[in-house]
Amino acid sequence: MNISIVGTGYVGLVTGACLAELGNNVICVDNDESKIKSLKKGRITIYEPGLKELVRRNLRRKRLVFTTSIKDGIKNALLIFIAVGTPPKPNGEADLTYVENVCSEIARNMMTYKLIVEKSTVPIETGMWVERTIRQNNERRVAFDIASNPEFLSEGSAINDFMHPDRIVIGVKTKRARDLLTELYSPLKAPILVTNIKSAEIIKHASNSFLATKISFINAISNICEKCGADVLEVAKGMGMDKRIGESFLNAGVGFGGFCFPKDLLAFMHISEKLGYDFGLLREVEKINRDQKGLLIKKVKENVWNLKGKTIGILGLSFKPNTDDIRYSPAIDIIERLKKEGVKIKAYDPQAMAKARQELDDVQFCKDPYGVAKNSNCLIIITEWDEFKQLDFTKVKKLLKQPLIIDGRNICDPKSMKKLGFKYIGIGRKE
Ligand code: UGA
């Protein structure tokens, strides 16, 4: 099929590359000229395992093309995916200006039937606005349909998530739209759920909010564990063995970050309020998440005593492993708070240092974890990269000024760390 994807951010680029890999002809459009110039050469500015190879392979096959022109991009496309950003406004509401602009431009340039698919995470009723905007600007009265097809890609495993999804959700109003999307996704042989457009929009918000709730729930439990001497890993295991609960997203830690959960939670609370429902549960999920970072700092203070002038080593800057994305990363927030207390920060991340350098001043970036440990009063693990699980902790101990590790992701075994002579503090674990 001929497909156009408008927006080459994370979602747009992964979707475009994967649809090309499935044999479609894909044109990706973005108004950022320098980005398109780089993409045409197969240069990608985000780190996502396998994405570079996929883009390059499909560029060579000429199944993936990049352009800055919506007019050229959509000319021969039957399906147009809108995957532009929906950043949060100061009040948490999603800013849909980009979505609106793109819709008007598509409408002004369409000559033949198009199925316009919302892929960006958008509030309920966006579908209706998309349809209205296209109708208003569709002077040639070209036939079109709209659909909502939310993405469930996780950074770090996005290609696998696209190629092997648990489900594909398609929100449509017409049979033609349903048939086109069903045909597009048929090679994936995944369960397809067809709903109305509003349900599809809610499925996305509800799924992300539910996962965030699971994380905050186990983080709340971790606080109780610390107070009574239980171990949150054992508790999570016991809970997760119940099929109705499931073991995933029960890892206690410094909380969730990234550009999806924090933003989508706020947006969902905002939509609910607008619709007349006070989603207080999500307010609490957000508060627990915020508090987790404060609790980590409290642990640092309780063990390092005065923070002013001390050196603290940070392992992990990205919001999760296997990505270089630092947006709403707990590490960035924790570093900023420690800096306010007069702490000198040393840091290392396997992939996110370039992005962190642009964001953070007064941080000494080191070439490896051992450089971070050297002469630090405390080592804090904030992202669970595999590299940190395989550290030579005997060497780390020799390098640290004090043998103190605060493990914000529970990647180490408390007993072994104690045996090595560390004061080891995890999240919700027996010391
Ligand atoms: C999330 C969803 O998982 C995707 O399904 C969704 O498509 C995506 O948002 C989106 O809306 O675009 P992502 O933000 O990439 O994906 O990452 P997750 O793996 O969900 O992790 C989010 C945060 O939760 C990370 O900071 C991670 O460290 C934290 N987390 C996750 C925990 O603290 N504990 C857990 O048990 C799991």
Side-chain angles (χ1 to χ4, degrees), residues 11-252:
V11 173
L13 192 56
V14 172
T15 306
C18 289
L19 287 175
E21 182 72 10
L22 292 178
N24 300 287
N25 297 312
V26 180
I27 302 188
C28 289
V29 186
D30 203 295
N31 59 6
D32 182 336
E33 283 185 22
S34 68
K35 199 173 184 187
I36 289 297
K37 216 170 141 188
S38 300
L39 286 167
K40 279 180 175 173
K41 292 181 190 143
R43 277 195 226 124
I44 294 166
T45 48
I46 48 173
Y47 172 75
E48 176 64 36
L51 183 59
K52 190 170 69 187
E53 294 74 14
L54 206 63
V55 167
R56 289 184 180 172
R57 186 159 63 239
N58 286 288
L59 270 171
R60 275 197 306 275
R61 288 171 175 161
K62 302 204 178 343
R63 288 212 296 243
L64 189 59
V65 173
F66 294 97
T67 175
T68 51
S69 158
I70 287 196
K71 189 178 175 189
D72 296 346
I74 68 159
K75 197 171 162 211
N76 296 318
L78 181 54
L79 273 75
I80 305 170
F81 284 89
I82 300 176
V84 293
T86 53
K89 291 187 198 172
N91 65 357
E93 193 181 1
D95 183 349
L96 299 177
T97 318
Y98 299 129
V99 176
E100 183 180 351
N101 292 346
V102 163
C103 288
S104 332
E105 213 175 330
I106 291 172
R108 283 196 296 270
N109 288 291
M110 9 187 245
M111 301 293 215
T112 50
Y113 169 86
K114 308 284 175 206
L115 170 58
I116 297 145
V117 189
E118 311 163 26
K119 196 82 181 155
S120 309
T121 301
V122 290
I124 323 138
E125 292 179 347
T126 304
M128 179 194 81
W129 283 107
V130 166
E131 188 169 9
R132 242 185 237 180
T133 309
I134 291 175
R135 195 167 294 135
Q136 276 164 8
N137 291 279
N138 179 12
E139 285 170 3
R140 292 184 199 89
R141 301 268 168 267
V142 175
F144 73 95
D145 277 310
I146 62 153
S148 167
N149 172 218
E151 55 86 16
F152 302 102
L153 310 175
S154 255
E155 292 189 23
S157 59
I159 291 164
N160 187 59
D161 292 346
F162 188 97
M163 293 297 186
H164 307 282
D166 288 343
R167 79 309 205 182
I168 291 162
V169 174
I170 293 174
V172 284
K173 273 170 95 174
T174 66
K175 183 177 176 303
R176 189 175 189 181
R178 186 187 68 195
D179 291 349
L180 279 172
L181 283 167
T182 309
E183 188 190 332
L184 177 73
Y185 286 118
S186 62
L188 295 179
K189 307 211 178 332
I192 295 181
L193 178 71
V194 181
T195 67
N196 70 34
I197 291 177
K198 286 184 184 172
S199 300
E201 289 168 339
I202 290 214
I203 287 170
K204 169 69 194 198
H205 275 295
S207 301
N208 272 4
S209 300
F210 189 80
L211 291 171
T213 304
K214 242 182 139 179
I215 299 168
S216 280
F217 187 87
I218 200 67
N219 281 335
I221 299 290
S222 78
N223 287 302
I224 300 171
C225 288
E226 281 180 14
K227 290 186 193 301
C228 71
D231 186 322
V232 74
L233 261 74
E234 291 172 359
V235 177
K237 193 169 181 192
M239 287 170 64
M241 285 165 87
D242 184 328
K243 285 199 196 76
R244 295 169 302 173
I245 297 174
E247 61 179 16
S248 60
F249 282 73
L250 284 181
N251 296 317

Side-chain angles (χ1 to χ4, degrees), residues 293-307:
K293 288 175 273 194
L295 286 169
L296 186 112
I297 304 221
K298 190 166 161 254
K299 287 177 177 176
V300 180
K301 283 185 181 166
E302 280 167 1
N303 289 280
V304 174
W305 197 23
N306 295 305
L307 293 186

